Each structure stands twice: as C-alpha cells, then as structure tokens.
DNA sequence: TCTTGAACCTATAGTTGCTAGAGACATTAG
DNA sequence: CTAATGTCTCTAGCAACTATAGGTTCAAGA
C-alpha cells in the first residue's frame, strides 16, 4: 500500500492533483489508515497512470472520465473509445494548424523589424494594424496564453 | 463617440471582455455619458484593436500590457518589444513541437486499433501503458485541454 | 521513550482570460 | 409614451490545477 506521496512519486503526479482528482470523482476514495491518511493499491496506481498519460496527450478530464468508464466494460465495442481518440486527434491537428499560422506571422514581423525605435518597430506596427492578416479571427479559437 | 456595444462590434471583442480589460487596467476608464454609460473615442478603438490582435497571436495579457506601455514611448528602442515577440515565437514553436509529438502518438494508437472490444483496444491499452513513450513527461508542459 | 521534522489532513482562495447571469437603469424607435 | 434593446454593477462559473493556512500523524534518531 502506498501513501499519497509515494503514489504521486510513482505516477509522476503532484499530491494536490491526486486529491483534486478524487474530489471530482476521477479517482475513487481510497482506504484510509488508522490515522485517516489515504492508502492506495495497485488498482489506483494503474488508474492514475492512465489519467496521467491521457492528460499528457491533451485529453480533457471529461473525455478521460469517459475513457475510464469504457475501460471498465472490457467486452463492449471500442468504437466509443476510438471516437474520443479521433476527436482528440482532430483537435490536436486544428491547434497545430492554427499555431503554424501564428508562427508565420510572428516570424514575419520579427524578421521585418529594423530594430530602431518603437515608432518604427514592425512588431508594434503589425499588432496595431490588423487589416492584412489571414489568421483566424474568431476569439473563441484563440490560443490559451503561453 | 462609441458606446461599448459599438466599440465591441468595431473591434470584434465582446462587451464583457471590454469591461474586463478595463477592470484589469488594460484599457483606461473611458468617459461616461450623462446616464453613466461608457463612451469611447478613436484612441480606445486603436488600443483595443491592438490588444485583440496580440491576443489572436497568443500573447498573454501581461505581455500585451508591456507592449502597450512600450508603444506609448515611441522614441525608445524597440529591443524590449522585439524580445517579447521573440519569446512568444519561441513559446509558439515549443507548443507546435509538443503537439506534433502528441499527434504522432494519437495517430499511431488509432491506426493500430483493430476496432474490436475494449479489452483489445489499442487506444485503451496505450493509455494504460506509458512505458515506451517519447513525449514530454513534465506535467507543467501539459497541453491545455482541447 | 521522547522529540523533531517530514508528510499528511481539510478547507479555502488564487491562477488565466474570459463568459454568463441577476436585477436595475438608460436610450432609442415607433 | 411605451416597449425593446442596450447598458450598468456585481457575482459566480469555466478548466485544471496550484498554493496557502492551520492543524494532525507518522517514522526515525537521541
Ligand atoms: Zn522592433
Ligand atoms: Zn494577424
Ligand atoms: Zn479501439
Ligand atoms: Zn505517450
């Protein structure tokens, strides 16, 4: 049996994150020691590793919740799981495409700047004049800040 | 003079977002009508367009704040502005690289699945077994959920 | 056995960049 | 003049954690 700290170390997940996952029902409430401390077994370790890996691949927690409940029914068709994964792939590709457009514009404006004063700075100028841009203009698709 | 709704329309920014930018000090408090409604002029419009464009390019609001205060000092060197832009470019490239690794793994696992039952599903299997992955293992670099 | 220090507990608030709602006031078109 | 739309403030919510405060439990050394 592992304490929460050991579990976190084993799975590469921070302790508060594990408690958070329990709170939102992604991990079941574990057994407790006589002194009320959480104790985890192999099952919890596997489940947490699954969550961790899915998060690394960018799956939202809600999708992971669905994947976990699917993985508890091994005899059913995996069509639902595959379609969640395909949606994640599509989202990933869309983000790559968008980021490439942003990369190109950033490169262009940095490359064109003569590095003089602010009043001549191509970076500032391009940001202020949005007219000839080709990239996405829907704020709902805006990148999360770096 | 524009009301907040007209300004939002003109700049492609939602009304609550404009009020939010004012609240965090990114836009100065505008004049008000006799009935206490916000009225904006050309300056505010330009400033908001600048913010909007920078956000589309993924700059964090804090970076935009710095860029705006730089653009208020036109005689200074643009080195600081350029370095903010270069940092944004670097962050964008890092995200593209990471997303490409994720894309590859998602493609691989989807492509290898025979689409039978969950117990044979390659998607579920790969998520559960994290051992032979090459992608980033630092949760601090994890992708924001799609 | 006692003590110290690390790890653990709960609960709450903060992060980023907005978005949505409630309930009240202002403006404008017909 | 009235009805509809727009605006006001304030509060709370989203994802997915992270951090802090104030307290308890556990393991190891003296
Ligand atoms: Zn420059
Ligand atoms: Zn642009
Ligand atoms: Zn499958
Ligand atoms: Zn992997």
């Amino acid at each position: 049996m592992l304490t929460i700290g050991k579990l976190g170390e084993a799975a590469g997940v921070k302790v508060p994150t594990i408690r958070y996952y329990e709170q939102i029902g992604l991990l079941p409430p574990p057994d407790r020691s006589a002194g009320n401390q959480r104790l985890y077994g192999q099952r919890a370790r596997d489940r947490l590793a699954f969550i961790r890996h899915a998060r690394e691949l960018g799956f939202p927690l809600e999708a992971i919740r669905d994947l976990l409940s699917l993985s508890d029914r091994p005899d059913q068709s995996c069509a639902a799981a595959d379609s969640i994964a395909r949606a994640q792939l599509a989202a990933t590709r869309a983000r790559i495409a968008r980021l490439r457009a942003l990369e190109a514009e950033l490169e262009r404006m940095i490359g064109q700047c003569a590095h003089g004063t602010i009043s001549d700075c191509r970076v500032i100028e391009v940001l202020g004049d949005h007219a000839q841009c080709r990239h996405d203009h829907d704020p709902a698709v805006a990148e999360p800040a770096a």
Side-chain angles (χ1 to χ4, degrees), chain A residues 14-35:
Chain A
K14 285 178 190 151
V15 166
T17 304
I18 298 173
R19 288 194 279 248
Y20 169 71
Y21 287 162
E22 178 184 335
Q23 191 194 311
I24 64 170
L26 215 56
L27 288 175
D31 294 337
R32 300 284 185 133
S33 74

mmCIF file of all heavy atoms in Angstrom, chain A residues 14-35:
data_model
loop_
_atom_site.group_PDB
_atom_site.id
_atom_site.type_symbol
_atom_site.label_atom_id
_atom_site.label_comp_id
_atom_site.label_asym_id
_atom_site.label_seq_id
_atom_site.Cartn_x
_atom_site.Cartn_y
_atom_site.Cartn_z
ATOM 1 N N LYS A 14 1.424 15.338 -8.918
ATOM 2 C CA LYS A 14 1.585 16.012 -7.640
ATOM 3 C C LYS A 14 0.479 15.640 -6.669
ATOM 4 O O LYS A 14 -0.652 15.368 -7.073
ATOM 5 C CB LYS A 14 1.598 17.522 -7.847
ATOM 6 C CG LYS A 14 2.906 18.009 -8.442
ATOM 7 C CD LYS A 14 2.877 19.503 -8.674
ATOM 8 C CE LYS A 14 4.091 19.920 -9.506
ATOM 9 N NZ LYS A 14 3.843 21.102 -10.321
ATOM 10 N N VAL A 15 0.828 15.684 -5.400
ATOM 11 C CA VAL A 15 -0.111 15.264 -4.363
ATOM 12 C C VAL A 15 -1.439 16.033 -4.421
ATOM 13 O O VAL A 15 -2.509 15.420 -4.392
ATOM 14 C CB VAL A 15 0.560 15.374 -2.973
ATOM 15 C CG1 VAL A 15 -0.458 15.275 -1.864
ATOM 16 C CG2 VAL A 15 1.626 14.294 -2.829
ATOM 17 N N PRO A 16 -1.430 17.363 -4.508
ATOM 18 C CA PRO A 16 -2.723 18.058 -4.551
ATOM 19 C C PRO A 16 -3.545 17.678 -5.772
ATOM 20 O O PRO A 16 -4.774 17.709 -5.722
ATOM 21 C CB PRO A 16 -2.339 19.542 -4.612
ATOM 22 C CG PRO A 16 -0.939 19.610 -4.144
ATOM 23 C CD PRO A 16 -0.306 18.309 -4.509
ATOM 24 N N THR A 17 -2.871 17.320 -6.832
ATOM 25 C CA THR A 17 -3.588 16.901 -8.041
ATOM 26 C C THR A 17 -4.336 15.597 -7.810
ATOM 27 O O THR A 17 -5.474 15.434 -8.264
ATOM 28 C CB THR A 17 -2.596 16.758 -9.205
ATOM 29 O OG1 THR A 17 -1.907 17.990 -9.362
ATOM 30 C CG2 THR A 17 -3.305 16.414 -10.493
ATOM 31 N N ILE A 18 -3.716 14.690 -7.081
ATOM 32 C CA ILE A 18 -4.388 13.430 -6.770
ATOM 33 C C ILE A 18 -5.642 13.698 -5.942
ATOM 34 O O ILE A 18 -6.722 13.177 -6.206
ATOM 35 C CB ILE A 18 -3.436 12.488 -6.009
ATOM 36 C CG1 ILE A 18 -2.221 12.149 -6.880
ATOM 37 C CG2 ILE A 18 -4.157 11.221 -5.582
ATOM 38 C CD1 ILE A 18 -1.150 11.356 -6.156
ATOM 39 N N ARG A 19 -5.499 14.554 -4.934
ATOM 40 C CA ARG A 19 -6.676 14.877 -4.121
ATOM 41 C C ARG A 19 -7.746 15.552 -4.975
ATOM 42 O O ARG A 19 -8.944 15.322 -4.787
ATOM 43 C CB ARG A 19 -6.276 15.743 -2.931
ATOM 44 C CG ARG A 19 -5.508 14.928 -1.878
ATOM 45 C CD ARG A 19 -5.390 15.655 -0.537
ATOM 46 N NE ARG A 19 -4.326 16.626 -0.527
ATOM 47 C CZ ARG A 19 -3.203 16.525 0.193
ATOM 48 N NH1 ARG A 19 -3.007 15.473 0.961
ATOM 49 N NH2 ARG A 19 -2.300 17.456 0.153
ATOM 50 N N TYR A 20 -7.307 16.388 -5.893
ATOM 51 C CA TYR A 20 -8.251 17.036 -6.798
ATOM 52 C C TYR A 20 -8.990 16.010 -7.651
ATOM 53 O O TYR A 20 -10.217 16.079 -7.803
ATOM 54 C CB TYR A 20 -7.511 18.041 -7.683
ATOM 55 C CG TYR A 20 -8.316 18.582 -8.814
ATOM 56 C CD1 TYR A 20 -9.371 19.466 -8.590
ATOM 57 C CD2 TYR A 20 -8.037 18.215 -10.124
ATOM 58 C CE1 TYR A 20 -10.116 19.968 -9.644
ATOM 59 C CE2 TYR A 20 -8.772 18.713 -11.179
ATOM 60 C CZ TYR A 20 -9.809 19.585 -10.946
ATOM 61 O OH TYR A 20 -10.545 20.068 -11.987
ATOM 62 N N TYR A 21 -8.276 15.043 -8.177
ATOM 63 C CA TYR A 21 -8.921 14.016 -8.984
ATOM 64 C C TYR A 21 -9.934 13.231 -8.155
ATOM 65 O O TYR A 21 -10.987 12.857 -8.651
ATOM 66 C CB TYR A 21 -7.871 13.063 -9.572
ATOM 67 C CG TYR A 21 -7.038 13.644 -10.684
ATOM 68 C CD1 TYR A 21 -5.831 13.070 -11.051
ATOM 69 C CD2 TYR A 21 -7.460 14.768 -11.396
ATOM 70 C CE1 TYR A 21 -5.065 13.592 -12.082
ATOM 71 C CE2 TYR A 21 -6.694 15.292 -12.417
ATOM 72 C CZ TYR A 21 -5.494 14.705 -12.751
ATOM 73 O OH TYR A 21 -4.729 15.218 -13.772
ATOM 74 N N GLU A 22 -9.601 13.005 -6.911
ATOM 75 C CA GLU A 22 -10.569 12.321 -6.044
ATOM 76 C C GLU A 22 -11.810 13.189 -5.845
ATOM 77 O O GLU A 22 -12.943 12.721 -5.932
ATOM 78 C CB GLU A 22 -9.916 11.991 -4.696
ATOM 79 C CG GLU A 22 -10.868 11.308 -3.716
ATOM 80 C CD GLU A 22 -10.214 11.074 -2.365
ATOM 81 O OE1 GLU A 22 -8.971 10.990 -2.302
ATOM 82 O OE2 GLU A 22 -10.950 10.993 -1.355
ATOM 83 N N GLN A 23 -11.570 14.442 -5.620
ATOM 84 C CA GLN A 23 -12.675 15.377 -5.358
ATOM 85 C C GLN A 23 -13.659 15.449 -6.516
ATOM 86 O O GLN A 23 -14.872 15.532 -6.311
ATOM 87 C CB GLN A 23 -12.075 16.751 -5.087
ATOM 88 C CG GLN A 23 -13.051 17.763 -4.557
ATOM 89 C CD GLN A 23 -12.447 19.168 -4.641
ATOM 90 O OE1 GLN A 23 -11.314 19.391 -4.226
ATOM 91 N NE2 GLN A 23 -13.196 20.101 -5.196
ATOM 92 N N ILE A 24 -13.144 15.417 -7.734
ATOM 93 C CA ILE A 24 -14.048 15.487 -8.881
ATOM 94 C C ILE A 24 -14.493 14.098 -9.344
ATOM 95 O O ILE A 24 -15.138 13.966 -10.380
ATOM 96 C CB ILE A 24 -13.402 16.241 -10.064
ATOM 97 C CG1 ILE A 24 -12.175 15.491 -10.594
ATOM 98 C CG2 ILE A 24 -13.048 17.661 -9.679
ATOM 99 C CD1 ILE A 24 -11.630 16.048 -11.893
ATOM 100 N N GLY A 25 -14.160 13.077 -8.573
ATOM 101 C CA GLY A 25 -14.693 11.749 -8.862
ATOM 102 C C GLY A 25 -13.952 10.985 -9.942
ATOM 103 O O GLY A 25 -14.480 10.004 -10.460
ATOM 104 N N LEU A 26 -12.746 11.409 -10.269
ATOM 105 C CA LEU A 26 -11.979 10.702 -11.291
ATOM 106 C C LEU A 26 -11.237 9.526 -10.661
ATOM 107 O O LEU A 26 -11.014 8.514 -11.310
ATOM 108 C CB LEU A 26 -10.993 11.678 -11.924
ATOM 109 C CG LEU A 26 -10.686 11.517 -13.402
ATOM 110 C CD1 LEU A 26 -11.941 11.553 -14.246
ATOM 111 C CD2 LEU A 26 -9.757 12.630 -13.851
ATOM 112 N N LEU A 27 -10.874 9.675 -9.406
ATOM 113 C CA LEU A 27 -10.306 8.577 -8.638
ATOM 114 C C LEU A 27 -11.286 8.253 -7.512
ATOM 115 O O LEU A 27 -11.851 9.173 -6.907
ATOM 116 C CB LEU A 27 -8.958 8.981 -8.020
ATOM 117 C CG LEU A 27 -7.767 9.119 -8.963
ATOM 118 C CD1 LEU A 27 -6.559 9.649 -8.198
ATOM 119 C CD2 LEU A 27 -7.444 7.779 -9.614
ATOM 120 N N PRO A 28 -11.491 6.969 -7.228
ATOM 121 C CA PRO A 28 -12.385 6.620 -6.118
ATOM 122 C C PRO A 28 -11.733 6.955 -4.785
ATOM 123 O O PRO A 28 -10.508 6.948 -4.679
ATOM 124 C CB PRO A 28 -12.570 5.116 -6.280
ATOM 125 C CG PRO A 28 -11.360 4.650 -6.999
ATOM 126 C CD PRO A 28 -10.917 5.790 -7.883
ATOM 127 N N PRO A 29 -12.535 7.246 -3.763
ATOM 128 C CA PRO A 29 -11.976 7.496 -2.424
ATOM 129 C C PRO A 29 -11.246 6.250 -1.960
ATOM 130 O O PRO A 29 -11.819 5.163 -1.997
ATOM 131 C CB PRO A 29 -13.195 7.760 -1.550
ATOM 132 C CG PRO A 29 -14.324 8.018 -2.486
ATOM 133 C CD PRO A 29 -14.001 7.328 -3.770
ATOM 134 N N PRO A 30 -9.986 6.379 -1.595
ATOM 135 C CA PRO A 30 -9.215 5.196 -1.209
ATOM 136 C C PRO A 30 -9.468 4.817 0.248
ATOM 137 O O PRO A 30 -10.127 5.554 0.985
ATOM 138 C CB PRO A 30 -7.780 5.680 -1.390
ATOM 139 C CG PRO A 30 -7.841 7.125 -1.048
ATOM 140 C CD PRO A 30 -9.200 7.625 -1.470
ATOM 141 N N ASP A 31 -8.944 3.664 0.621
ATOM 142 C CA ASP A 31 -8.951 3.307 2.038
ATOM 143 C C ASP A 31 -8.124 4.320 2.817
ATOM 144 O O ASP A 31 -7.318 5.054 2.255
ATOM 145 C CB ASP A 31 -8.340 1.919 2.219
ATOM 146 C CG ASP A 31 -9.201 0.827 1.584
ATOM 147 O OD1 ASP A 31 -10.419 1.061 1.413
ATOM 148 O OD2 ASP A 31 -8.646 -0.232 1.242
ATOM 149 N N ARG A 32 -8.343 4.298 4.132
ATOM 150 C CA ARG A 32 -7.575 5.202 4.992
ATOM 151 C C ARG A 32 -6.853 4.405 6.072
ATOM 152 O O ARG A 32 -7.319 3.356 6.505
ATOM 153 C CB ARG A 32 -8.527 6.204 5.677
ATOM 154 C CG ARG A 32 -9.328 7.087 4.730
ATOM 155 C CD ARG A 32 -8.475 8.178 4.151
ATOM 156 N NE ARG A 32 -9.257 9.108 3.333
ATOM 157 C CZ ARG A 32 -9.167 10.429 3.423
ATOM 158 N NH1 ARG A 32 -8.349 10.984 4.303
ATOM 159 N NH2 ARG A 32 -9.872 11.210 2.622
ATOM 160 N N SER A 33 -5.744 4.960 6.507
ATOM 161 C CA SER A 33 -5.037 4.364 7.639
ATOM 162 C C SER A 33 -5.791 4.676 8.928
ATOM 163 O O SER A 33 -6.759 5.435 8.929
ATOM 164 C CB SER A 33 -3.627 4.941 7.724
ATOM 165 O OG SER A 33 -3.687 6.270 8.214
ATOM 166 N N ALA A 34 -5.316 4.073 10.038
ATOM 167 C CA ALA A 34 -5.924 4.344 11.341
ATOM 168 C C ALA A 34 -5.911 5.849 11.622
ATOM 169 O O ALA A 34 -6.827 6.388 12.222
ATOM 170 C CB ALA A 34 -5.178 3.594 12.435
ATOM 171 N N GLY A 35 -4.896 6.524 11.168
ATOM 172 C CA GLY A 35 -4.800 7.970 11.379
ATOM 173 C C GLY A 35 -5.406 8.804 10.271
ATOM 174 O O GLY A 35 -5.065 9.969 10.102
#
